[in-house]
Amino acid sequence: MRNLLHPSLGLIGRVLIIVLLTILIEFCAGTILYDRASSLRVREDEANRMAEHIAAASRVMIQRDPSERPAMASRLSSANFTVTWHRTLPPPPPMSADLFEMRDQIVAREPVLDHHMLRLYLREPGRRTVVVGSLALDDGTWLTFNAPQLVDEGKFRIAWIAMMIVVAIGLSLIAGLMIRTTLQPVRRLAVAAARIGHGEQEQIAETGISEVRDLIRAFNEMQGRIHSLIADRVEALAAVGHDLRTPLARLQLRAEGIGDDQLRESIGADVREMAGMVSSLLAYLGGDDDPENPQAVDLAVMAATLVDDIVDQGRDASYAGPDHLTHHLRPLGFKRALRNVVENAAKYGDMVQVTVNADQDHVTIQVEDDGPGIDAERLEDVLRPFVRLDDARGRDTQGLGLGLAIAVRAVEMEDGTIHLANRDSGGLCVTISLPRGDGGIAQSRNAGRH
């Protein structure tokens, strides 16, 4: 089998060989099973009855004058056993091998028939199998008979169909296993393709048929180029970020020397906005290669701290939830995501409410504001990068529209989801849901800080 399915064979060749092997095995198995099933064997009582009929008819016929024998044969016949007398018969053909067992059953009941050249044959008028036979009498004449009810043809067909179904099922399983083995490298390739661009490059062993090996080789080369492009992009962005921050820092220092307070403040705000845009752009385009490892983080403290920062800015913000809630995640990336969501709520609303809840399966963080909200048909648009909904939430349109896009990416890295919905009382509600996973959540002192 290993030689038949050598890796040098193509996909078409392998499938063709599997199909041919399946057909060949089915043909051989069908032939063997047919021979076994067609070895006709009647019930013992039927064989005994037929043996008695043949023996009785032969004894009666030999005692009658030849002129009386045709009429006597008619009287000896019935619906299930027909007898005919002949002066001569042509030489009988060889008896089929599958009827020897039936003949042995009859002879075992009436051994005397073994000396009268008893022969059995099958005749199929239409779809009904009939057993016919001939018997030599002592005077050289012949007695022929028909037994249409001797063979239970229905049981024969049922047994044949059942055996062929078993064979077909077995061959289907074997063929399926062979095809599954043939396509196993393709499944490994599909798994690797789903992970491409996420984390380290993973080379796939070039195994399988020739076409699959060529495909794996091309895939390995492609993912090498993709990871190289990502690495080049990260390095280029880091260099650009460094080059941009330096003149921005110098510009900020020079702005401090401007005597006009209003002009100085305006230039400083513009510089800070540009620095923020550079930071957000680098955070979003920095690629998926994240050096952070998940670790235990107190989400309750993180959320409460961000709320305190908003309060320190003179805004109305509150936290509701447990005092401590530990979860395993990437702390820097997730804190940046949660800060973007909280600051976005504070930018567009006069009030910010952050609520943290946990159950057996999920940790949920809700950030609500009382701002203008977002049109229902555009709730998904705001999660895309570089989208700013000026009409809906137009109080302040600074930035590149990457805050929520960065949050979406960070939450997805934790296998979580982020959902936006308008509040009935006005404003927006952003819900972040994180699965507990095997890392678990240790909740302690659920005193309910508000």
Side-chain angles (χ1 to χ4, degrees):
M1 182 64 68
R2 291 183 180 272
N3 293 330
L4 287 175
L5 298 181
H6 194 271
S8 61
L9 286 173
L11 180 60
I12 296 178
R14 281 202 171 197
V15 173
L16 182 60
I17 287 178
I18 292 173
V19 172
L20 291 177
L21 282 176
T22 304
I23 294 175
L24 179 62
I25 295 173
E26 184 177 12
F27 175 78
C28 295
T31 302
I32 295 172
L33 291 175
Y34 182 82
D35 289 340
R36 292 178 62 88
S38 60
S39 298
L40 301 178
R41 180 178 180 87
V42 296
R43 297 197 311 267
E44 186 175 357
D45 56 344
E46 294 289 346
N48 293 341
R49 187 177 300 110
M50 184 175 182
E52 292 172 357
H53 285 176
I54 297 173
S58 63
R59 286 192 295 268
V60 171
M61 285 295 188
I62 200 63
Q63 295 173 3
R64 295 289 180 174
D65 186 83
S67 60
E68 299 177 353
R69 290 179 182 178
M72 179 56 66
S74 179
R75 289 195 292 271
L76 291 173
S77 299
S78 64
N80 296 330
F81 187 75
T82 303
V83 179
T84 308
W85 177 76
H86 305 271
R87 289 185 180 275
T88 60
L89 281 179
M95 195 172 72
S96 177
D98 54 8
L99 291 172
F100 279 110
E101 190 172 359
M102 182 187 294
R103 180 184 181 279
D104 293 341
Q105 285 182 274
I106 296 173
V107 172
R109 177 65 178 178
E110 294 288 344
V112 68
L113 298 177
D114 193 30
H115 304 289
H116 290 274
M117 299 177 63
L118 176 64
R119 296 289 185 269
L120 300 177
Y121 308 97
L122 288 180
R123 187 177 63 196
E124 298 186 5
R127 294 185 177 179
R128 185 180 182 187
T129 303
V130 178
V131 177
V132 299
S134 62
L135 182 72
L137 299 179
D138 292 339
D139 60 356
T141 60
W142 290 86
L143 189 68
T144 61
F145 56 88
N146 292 352
Q149 302 294 332
L150 185 62
V151 178
D152 190 351
E153 192 174 358
K155 292 184 178 179
F156 169 76
R157 287 194 177 123
I158 292 175
W160 163 250
I161 292 173
M163 285 188 289
M164 290 310 299
I165 289 176
V166 172
V167 171
I169 293 176
L171 289 176
S172 299
L173 293 176
I174 294 174
L177 181 61
M178 295 171 68
I179 293 176
R180 183 176 183 272
T181 302
T182 299
L183 298 179
Q184 187 173 6
V186 179
R187 288 193 295 273
R188 292 200 299 267
L189 181 62
V191 173
R195 294 198 301 262
I196 190 170
H198 298 277
E200 296 296 329
Q201 179 178 352
E202 179 181 351
Q203 290 288 328
I204 306 175
E206 297 179 10
T207 59
I209 57 180
S210 58
E211 289 94 337
V212 174
R213 292 201 308 273
D214 294 340
L215 180 61
I216 293 175
R217 186 180 305 112
F219 175 81
N220 286 334
E221 294 174 356
M222 179 192 68
Q223 71 167 335
R225 290 193 298 270
I226 290 175
H227 281 273
S228 177
L229 289 173
I230 293 175
D232 292 344
R233 183 186 68 175
V234 173
E235 292 178 1
L237 286 172
V240 170
H242 179 270
D243 292 343
L244 286 177
R245 285 193 176 100
T246 300
L248 285 174
R250 290 199 302 265
L251 186 59
Q252 180 69 43
L253 289 175
R254 291 170 181 171
E256 295 296 331
I258 298 176
D260 189 331
D261 294 341
Q262 184 177 359
L263 179 60
R264 183 176 61 250
E265 181 61 29
S266 298
I267 294 176
D270 291 339
V271 171
R272 288 191 295 272
E273 181 180 354
M274 292 175 64
M277 293 169 63
V278 170
S279 298
S280 63
L281 189 62
L282 292 176
Y284 182 76
L285 298 178
D288 293 325
D289 294 330
D290 196 332
E292 270 197 291
N293 293 320
Q295 55 184 275
V297 177
D298 195 327
L299 287 179
V301 172
M302 179 186 294
T305 301
L306 293 175
V307 169
D308 291 340
D309 292 341
I310 299 298
V311 173
D312 291 342
Q313 298 173 17
R315 309 297 297 273
D316 183 8
S318 61
Y319 167 79
D323 290 340
H324 298 281
L325 185 62
T326 304
H327 187 75
H328 282 77
L329 46 73
R330 297 165 180 82
L332 296 180
F334 188 79
K335 186 174 183 179
R336 180 189 302 123
L338 187 56
R339 178 187 292 113
N340 288 349
V341 174
V342 173
E343 290 181 350
N344 189 73
K347 182 187 298 183
Y348 295 111
D350 295 327
M351 179 276 299
V352 177
Q353 172 71 42
V354 179
T355 305
V356 177
N357 291 306
D359 56 26
Q360 295 296 321
D361 300 320
H362 296 88
V363 173
T364 303
I365 303 175
Q366 285 187 327
V367 180
E368 300 174 276
D369 64 61
D370 59 352
I374 299 174
D375 291 340
E377 63 272 11
R378 304 206 63 187
L379 285 173
E380 296 296 328
D381 295 341
V382 74
L383 298 178
R384 297 202 304 266
F386 305 106
V387 173
R388 293 185 301 179
L389 305 181
D390 299 336
D391 297 335
R393 293 161 73 90
R395 177 180 300 183
D396 189 349
T397 59
Q398 295 179 353
L400 295 175
L402 292 175
L404 290 181
I406 293 173
V408 169
R409 174 175 291 183
V411 171
E412 288 178 348
M413 290 187 67
E414 308 301 335
D415 296 326
T417 59
I418 185 168
H419 176 72
L420 273 63
N422 287 311
R423 302 171 62 208
D424 294 337
S425 58
L428 189 70
C429 176
V430 180
T431 302
I432 299 174
S433 179
L434 302 174
R436 291 190 60 168
D438 296 333
I441 302 170
Q443 182 172 341
S444 63
R445 294 198 305 276
N446 191 359
R449 172 181 170 181
H450 295 282

